[in-house]
Amino acid sequence: MMSVHALRHSRLLVPRVRCLSSSVPTVKLFIDGKFVESKTKKWVDLYNPATNQLLSRVPCATQEEMNAAAESAQAAFRSWRETSAMSRQQVMFKLQHLIKENMKKLAASITQEQGKTLADAEGDVLRGLQVVEHACSITSLQLGETLGSVSKDMDTYTFREPLGVCAGVTPFNFPAMIPLWMFPMALVCGNTCIMKPSEMDPGACMMLVQLAKEAGVPDGVLNVIHGQKEAVDFVCDHPYIRAISFVGSDRVGKYIYERGSANGKRVQSNMGAKNHGVILPDANKEHTINQLVGAAFGAAGQRCMALSTVIFVGKAKEWLPEIVERARKLKVNEGTQPGTDLGPLISTSAKHRVCELVQSGVTEGAKLLLDGRGIKVPGYEKGNFVGPTVLAEVKPDMKCYTEEIFGPVLVAMNVDSLDEAIEVINKNPYGNGTAIFTTSGAAARKFQNQVDVGQIGINVPIPVPLPMFSFTGSRGSFRGDTHFYGKQGVQFYTQVKTITSLWKQEDVSGAMPTVMPTLK
């Protein structure tokens, strides 16, 4: 089993684990409302991806520490579940205010640990904040149902009640957004939560936990553990944990889904992707090229919804040289530098893997139109940088197509018709997202009805729904029954209790009271 830092592909190397040196800052655990120094002897080094300088060390929590987090969450659930929906709503109002106030601090932490640009890091926080704002609607989201007089003198009604202790395991690529997909919805529904952020960049999650405490989340309601496989096994196996949310790689996602489900837990698991953008010749050219370049290379391609594959239909392939030139002009630099379009990859092993997959495409016959592998960034020569890269004339059996690259690499394919494009997409095992660029409503409607993908953009390159809807990746990109946030998020974090009551009308006393009632 690989290290569980939720890197988007299982072949990446395990982060180095070593004994603690007192000269390097350490990341704390958060247990029972307190930041706690771990007593572990196993630590994971955390590096700045732009410089590869050691920033801090992340503990692999001991079994005793993880048990303490579970005990704290279980004990806190007894009182938190009884807290009124309006009180939990007020906590979410305060949390969203505190996140807004600390947006730039959160973004700076993300850029330092993950590498994305400051603007992209703020977007990371903003998309998570939108889920918190949606959680503020819990007083209408968690409503039950009622049917009066289902039979004579009989009513049936339902409540949505919290499950208990829930857990979240998050990836490196969205250090703020993904935790905010999980714990706010879990908490506002009345659950308690144990988070295990990626050991590659836990800083933003730890800041969010501090803000949650300031917002009024009681001690024990939200806990944080750190670690690798042992921590994930703990989450899958501990009897107090009722539900697990995961975003990350295929291998780990399947492992968590199978092991957690075998232990009777609810699991929602968002995994890998291969997202296609279909370009028809009638599309708005300028809009399409701008959207495609941003979706393919933004965040250095480290998005599960990156538009990493473009399918040109007919003469649309003539646009490829302009796309290459637009990509060539993107500025690669350290994330805090003004004008930067994309920063480094998360690790040296991630860079190595991306470069290997590009070379595999060349070896198998693809045309390398733009090669970003040898890029050097002045002042950041030791960084994990790969520039925008374009592989053309890619075939469906090539490794650069069959595997998720998770880097700033666009693979281009050519087909003669929309039907062929749909066939290519439907034969791919993933179903996270896809997009079509066209000015034809008929073509767009045909595409949306026939393509077997969970999230579709029409002239929208990254169709991630806002939180009033749910994130609905499908097929090989998802395991589980209910998705993240939106109505499905509330369904995931609650269980339905149905009450059938009988109060016979003839039992009503007909006597009219005529005296002052007394307390007896």
Side-chain angles (χ1 to χ4, degrees), residues 82-239:
E82 300 299 330
T83 304
S84 71
M86 291 186 68
S87 295
R88 298 195 301 269
Q89 179 189 52
Q90 287 301 316
V91 172
M92 290 299 122
F93 280 134
K94 293 173 185 175
L95 178 59
Q96 62 92 19
H97 175 69
L98 289 170
I99 291 172
K100 288 178 181 177
E101 280 191 335
N102 291 274
M103 178 86 72
K104 294 195 179 298
K105 290 180 181 178
L106 285 160
S109 171
I110 292 169
T111 296
Q112 184 181 47
E113 292 185 355
Q114 198 273 347
K116 63 178 66 175
T117 67
L118 282 174
D120 202 21
E122 288 195 24
D124 186 331
V125 180
L126 178 62
R127 291 308 299 264
L129 174 64
Q130 290 169 341
V131 177
V132 180
E133 292 172 337
H134 187 61
C136 293
S137 302
I138 192 61
T139 49
S140 56
L141 293 173
Q142 204 172 343
L143 293 174
E145 297 177 317
T146 300
L147 180 58
S149 298
V150 66
S151 185
K152 179 174 172 54
D153 298 331
M154 184 178 289
D155 304 319
T156 299
Y157 48 97
T158 65
F159 299 144
R160 280 205 166 270
E161 295 191 332
L163 302 174
V165 182
C166 301
V169 180
T170 68
F172 78 85
N173 57 327
F174 285 97
M177 183 182 77
I178 303 299
L180 291 173
W181 280 12
M182 298 178 184
F183 78 78
M185 294 304 300
L187 267 56
V188 81
C189 289
N191 302 284
T192 58
C193 191
I194 300 172
M195 295 298 299
K196 195 215 83 68
S198 169
E199 65 269 30
M200 305 293 281
D201 49 10
C205 183
M206 300 310 291
M207 292 174 70
L208 290 169
V209 167
Q210 174 64 46
L211 297 179
K213 181 177 175 65
E214 293 176 17
V217 172
D219 294 350
V221 171
L222 179 59
N223 299 269
V224 180
I225 60 174
H226 301 290
Q228 299 178 317
K229 183 179 184 298
E230 294 83 358
V232 166
D233 286 346
F234 174 84
V235 164
C236 291
D237 297 343
H238 199 284

Side-chain angles (χ1 to χ4, degrees), residues 357-368 373 391 398 400:
L357 284 170
V358 171
Q359 185 56 44
S360 75
V362 175
T363 301
E364 292 178 330
K367 289 187 177 180
L368 185 60
R373 290 175 292 175
L391 287 165
M398 292 182 180
C400 64

Side-chain angles (χ1 to χ4, degrees), residues 383-403:
N384 308 319
F385 294 96
V386 174
T389 300
V390 179
L391 287 165
E393 298 184 21
V394 171
K395 306 300 181 186
D397 60 347
M398 292 182 180
K399 189 177 180 180
C400 64
Y401 174 75
T402 59
E403 296 198 16

Side-chain angles (χ1 to χ4, degrees), residues 27-43:
V27 178
K28 305 298 186 287
L29 306 170
F30 187 72
I31 300 174
D32 202 31
K34 301 176 183 64
F35 289 96
V36 180
E37 185 73 59
S38 176
K39 292 182 170 60
T40 187
K41 297 187 183 303
K42 292 175 61 179
W43 299 79

Side-chain angles (χ1 to χ4, degrees), residues 167 235-236 241-246 256 260 265-268 492:
V235 164
C236 291
I241 295 173
R242 298 284 307 279
I244 306 169
S245 299
F246 171 80
I256 289 176
K265 305 180 191 304
R266 286 189 185 180
V267 182
Q268 52 180 189
F492 180 79

